[in-house]
């Protein structure tokens, strides 16, 4: 028996950073995938196969439970160190988190293989897709079913081991697919709205997506270092981001293509991200070149505090611009379907 679960990546179209301060955010599922395969083992061991990282390891149940316990009790500095230096950190935490939901007599060994085409630490939702696909595969393997064992809260718990305090839009976009809005409610909670695929396909049909390379810092580190700039009553930077996100939401509902409006919104939000301090100078220079030829661009995701790379870059109106040749073009469809699970 082999259980396979596959979940797509994502990009945040509008609302990153501001979403953690009560603003709406809109993300769309991206046709790059994390695929998990789980098979039973008879020796009671947990085998991890990570060919993308050239990594092959075996663990006992207790080793993974001890690891999760240590991470839970670590300081912020210790947590950041584990995320940055341990290649299979998130997978070990995910398995440990699931084991905590099982009685010891129900534990059984398995082999787990992870393959992903999603760039890591670059705003494409690699950890969210891993959390969703891994949670789905293991829930199926251990025959844990909703409503007692819902998938989404488990995926959220796994994401916390990577980002600390995630907004939830990453893994929910991978889970649901298409285009997702995280919209704040008056009581301080939020709701998730699934948009039809046509919303992204129309207004974003001419955009290009690039990978500028992984950021030096994790998403959690970038957020922790910059969130104070969005705090306080009537914060002008936050209000600017909120205004752009609301206008972008309205744009997606329009039945006609409006590329100039899209460019204007991308420029405004990109300027806010630069004021926040999450766009490296090298990337900002490329964006200025795009704007000089009448185009627009913004980073998608947390960005970076240092270095020359900031992950995902969304571009419109700058075909064959020489400055973009240094980055990897991501040729993948937007608003794809979400999680898929099968058993063979």
């Amino acid at each position: 028996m082999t259980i396979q679960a596959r979940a797509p990546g994502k990009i945040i179209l509008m609302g990153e950073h501001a979403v953690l301060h009560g603003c709406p955010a809109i993300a769309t599922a991206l046709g790059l995938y994390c695929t998990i395969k789980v098979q039973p083992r008879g020796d009671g061991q947990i085998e991890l196969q990570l060919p993308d990282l050239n990594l092959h390891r075996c663990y006992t149940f207790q080793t993974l439970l001890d690891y999760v316990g240590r991470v839970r009790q670590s300081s912020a500095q210790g947590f950041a160190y584990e995320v940055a230096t341990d290649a299979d950190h998130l997978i070990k935490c995910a398995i440990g988190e699931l084991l905590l939901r099982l009685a010891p007599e129900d534990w059984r060994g398995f082999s787990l293989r992870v393959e992903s085409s999603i760039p890591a630490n670059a705003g494409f939702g690699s950890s969210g897709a891993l959390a969703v696909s891994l949670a789905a595969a293991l829930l199926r393997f251990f025959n844990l079913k909703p409503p007692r064992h819902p998938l989404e809260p488990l995926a959220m718990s796994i994401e916390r081991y990577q980002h600390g305090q995630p907004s939830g839009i990453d893994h929910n976009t991978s889970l649901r697919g298409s285009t997702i809005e995280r919209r704040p409610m008056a009581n301080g909670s939020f709701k998730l709205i699934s948009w039809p695929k046509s919303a992204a396909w129309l207004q974003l049909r001419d955009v290009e997506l690039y990978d500028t390379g992984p950021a030096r810092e994790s998403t959690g580190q970038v957020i922790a270092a910059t969130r104070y700039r969005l705090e306080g009553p009537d914060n002008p930077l936050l209000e600017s981001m909120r205004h752009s996100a609301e206008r972008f939401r309205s744009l997606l509902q329009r039945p006609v293509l409006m590329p100039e409006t899209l460019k204007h919104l991308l420029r405004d939000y990109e300027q806010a991200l630069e004021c926040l301090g999450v766009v490296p100078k090298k990337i900002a220079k490329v964006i200025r070149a795009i704007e000089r030829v009448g185009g627009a661009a913004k980073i998608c995701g947390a960005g970076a505090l240092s270095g020359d790379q900031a992950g995902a870059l969304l571009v419109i109106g700058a075909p064959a611009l020489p400055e973009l040749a240094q980055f990897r073009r991501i040729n993948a469809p937007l608003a794809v379907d979400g999680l898929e699970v099968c058993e063979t």
Side-chain angles (χ1 to χ4, degrees):
M1 175 189 71
T2 299
I3 295 169
Q4 177 173 303
R6 186 181 85 153
K10 70 91 188 68
I11 56 168
I12 296 181
L13 300 171
M14 195 74 66
E16 52 267 85
H17 288 281
V19 67
L20 297 173
H21 300 267
C23 294
I26 298 174
T28 192
L30 178 68
L32 301 175
Y33 296 90
C34 177
T35 302
I36 304 290
K37 294 181 180 179
V38 180
Q39 294 178 309
R41 281 175 64 102
D43 59 1
Q45 293 280 305
I46 297 174
E47 177 190 19
L48 302 187
Q49 301 175 22
L50 311 179
D52 298 331
L53 301 177
N54 195 29
L55 195 66
H56 183 202
R57 293 175 178 171
C58 285
Y59 297 103
T60 65
F61 295 108
Q62 194 59 50
T63 298
L64 296 184
L65 287 171
D66 290 345
Y67 182 84
V68 167
R70 187 169 68 252
V71 171
R72 284 183 167 189
Q73 296 175 9
S74 65
S75 64
Q77 183 177 5
F79 177 84
Y81 177 81
E82 296 286 2
V83 171
T85 61
D86 198 339
D88 58 352
H89 160 80
L90 190 58
I91 298 171
K92 289 188 293 189
C93 289
I95 297 171
E97 191 69 26
L98 184 89
L99 293 177
L100 292 172
R101 289 162 163 76
L102 286 169
E105 58 267 23
D106 294 328
W107 295 349
R108 53 195 175 105
F110 58 87
S111 173
L112 186 148
R113 183 179 180 89
V114 182
E115 295 178 288
S116 180
S117 59
I118 308 171
N121 200 28
F124 292 101
S126 60
S127 63
L130 176 64
V132 167
S133 54
L134 186 50
L138 291 179
L139 287 173
R140 176 73 68 89
F141 179 76
F142 285 104
N143 198 31
L144 301 177
K145 300 177 181 179
R148 187 176 179 184
H149 298 284
L151 191 156
E152 191 278 328
L154 176 57
M156 183 67 161
S157 296
I158 295 170
E159 270 273 84
R160 289 194 179 104
Y161 287 105
Q162 184 71 18
H163 297 311
Q165 294 181 318
S167 69
I169 196 169
D170 286 27
H171 73 271
N172 273 295
T173 304
S174 288
L175 176 61
R176 298 181 177 210
S178 191
T179 299
I180 300 294
E181 177 187 1
R182 184 189 189 274
R183 189 150 195 87
M185 305 292 287
N187 62 3
S189 64
F190 65 89
K191 64 178 179 179
L192 296 168
I193 302 170
S194 294
W195 288 68
K197 292 182 178 182
S198 58
W201 286 346
L202 176 60
Q203 299 299 342
L204 302 177
R205 72 178 192 183
D206 295 324
V207 303
E208 297 177 350
L209 196 59
Y210 293 86
D211 178 12
T212 70
R216 285 182 178 176
E217 302 84 12
S218 69
T219 296
Q221 289 173 314
V222 174
I223 290 171
T226 58
R227 65 180 307 136
Y228 73 94
R229 293 175 180 159
L230 296 175
E231 294 174 344
D234 302 319
N235 185 297
L237 183 56
L238 182 62
E239 288 308 310
S240 171
M241 298 170 97
R242 186 195 310 275
H243 180 66
S244 294
E246 292 287 7
R247 290 189 62 199
F248 183 79
R249 181 181 192 271
S250 297
L251 175 64
L252 289 186
Q253 299 177 70
R254 299 298 295 269
V256 294
L257 188 64
M258 302 180 68
E260 293 306 315
T261 300
L262 175 59
K263 290 177 185 178
H264 180 73
L265 293 174
L266 292 179
R267 291 175 192 140
D268 283 353
Y269 207 90
E270 169 60 26
Q271 188 59 48
L273 292 171
E274 291 181 23
C275 290
L276 189 61
V278 298
V279 183
K281 291 181 179 179
K282 179 181 177 181
I283 304 301
K285 185 177 180 180
V286 172
I287 292 174
R288 297 294 88 77
I290 293 169
E291 292 171 349
R292 282 195 295 271
V293 298
K298 67 174 283 289
I299 62 167
C300 298
L305 302 173
S306 61
D308 294 330
Q309 302 173 157
L313 182 68
L314 188 71
V315 179
I316 184 171
L321 189 72
E323 286 85 348
L324 289 170
Q326 62 189 300
F327 305 133
R328 174 191 169 196
R329 172 80 182 273
I330 301 295
N331 292 304
L334 301 178
V336 298
D337 291 336
L339 172 70
E340 300 172 350
V341 184
C342 65
E343 190 172 323
T344 58

